[in-house]
Amino acid sequence: MSDTQQTFKAVIFDFGGVLTNPMDDTAIAFAAEIGLPTYAYRDTVAFDPAGRALYAQLERGDISQTQWNEGIASILGIDSDNLMGRALATLVPEKLVVNAALAIREAGLKTAILSNSMGLEPFNPYTPWDLEANHDVIVFSEHHRIRKPEPAIYQLTLDKLQLPGSACIFVDDNPSNLIPAQELGMATVHATTAEETVSGLQKLLGIPLG
């Protein structure tokens, strides 16, 4: 590490689109599977006001995943049974970033997950990642009734890590979610491609990650 590099003690990762393949890819694959126009599902959950409101309620824990399934299905005119599970059927670990997170921990730093929740039941999208075994702190928005980009959920994560923002790096694929982290003193990495995410972390940490 160079003399000018800051010593970080933890890296906080978003989940979807960071530790996973792009969420847009899963949305497009799901639409194709059920015969919807290419961007119909993505646009419903990401841009349609009613769909966005349902997702925000799910993330806060104000509604269950089953209720979200029913609400989104009603908008799209499709079957609601296990909708979240079906929509995320092609969600897989982004191995470069997952392996980088393991290398960061092996180097003696803490790692944390800060995720706006997609619900945990009846379908748990986080199971294949074994997050509890591989990270020091897990924060799902539904457990705390707050969500990104609300500053309180970032501070909660720092409190659980027992670290100040200046000792942490935050990684997210949504640029608007980086702003509160920066305001709390964290360095940030905008997750675009897996390669660029790992490269950004390597530059900040000064250690090889792959």
Side-chain angles (χ1 to χ4, degrees):
M1 184 171 67
S2 72
D3 292 339
T4 58
Q5 269 181 321
Q6 182 174 347
T7 300
F8 293 103
K9 296 184 177 180
V11 179
I12 304 167
F13 293 91
D14 176 36
F15 178 73
V18 176
L19 295 181
T20 79
N21 57 318
M23 298 295 290
D24 277 1
D25 290 358
T26 67
I28 290 167
F30 176 58
E33 178 189 344
I34 63 173
L36 289 174
T38 301
Y39 298 107
Y41 173 73
R42 185 205 67 176
D43 289 353
T44 294
V45 299
F47 302 115
D48 178 82
R52 282 172 57 87
L54 283 167
Y55 230 125
Q57 289 177 295
L58 176 68
E59 290 169 343
R60 287 184 183 279
D62 293 339
I63 61 173
S64 67
Q65 189 185 88
T66 297
Q67 290 172 308
W68 179 90
N69 289 344
E70 293 168 351
I72 295 295
S74 177
I75 295 171
L76 287 168
I78 61 176
D79 180 13
S80 68
D81 184 52
N82 190 32
L83 177 55
M84 183 67 81
R86 289 156 48 218
L88 297 180
T90 57
L91 193 72
V92 295
E94 186 58 78
K95 291 184 179 179
L96 281 177
V97 182
V98 169
N99 290 340
L102 294 174
I104 288 166
R105 210 167 180 221
E106 288 170 359
L109 286 78
K110 293 181 177 180
T111 61
I113 303 300
L114 171 53
S115 177
N116 278 351
S117 182
M118 295 178 277
L120 300 173
E121 56 182 32
F123 173 75
N124 186 335
Y126 306 99
T127 298
W129 283 258
D130 201 9
L131 297 180
E132 288 75 13
N134 291 317
H135 300 277
D136 299 279
V137 167
I138 311 294
V139 175
F140 292 136
S141 60
E142 69 172 283
H143 292 157
H144 306 283
R145 311 305 289 270
I146 47 178
R147 59 191 281 271
K148 293 180 291 183
E150 295 172 48
I153 199 166
Y154 299 80
Q155 186 61 56
L156 172 68
T157 307
L158 293 175
D159 292 346
K160 287 180 174 292
L161 285 166
Q162 298 182 309
L163 290 170
S166 59
C168 299
I169 300 169
F170 177 65
V171 186
D172 201 295
D173 62 326
N174 184 340
S176 65
N177 287 340
L178 300 176
I179 297 170
Q182 293 164 353
E183 291 174 346
L184 286 168
M186 295 185 228
T188 57
V189 173
H190 179 207
T192 51
T193 67
E195 292 80 7
E196 290 182 358
T197 299
V198 173
S199 176
L201 285 169
Q202 286 184 151
K203 288 177 182 176
L204 287 169
L205 293 170
I207 58 175
L209 298 177

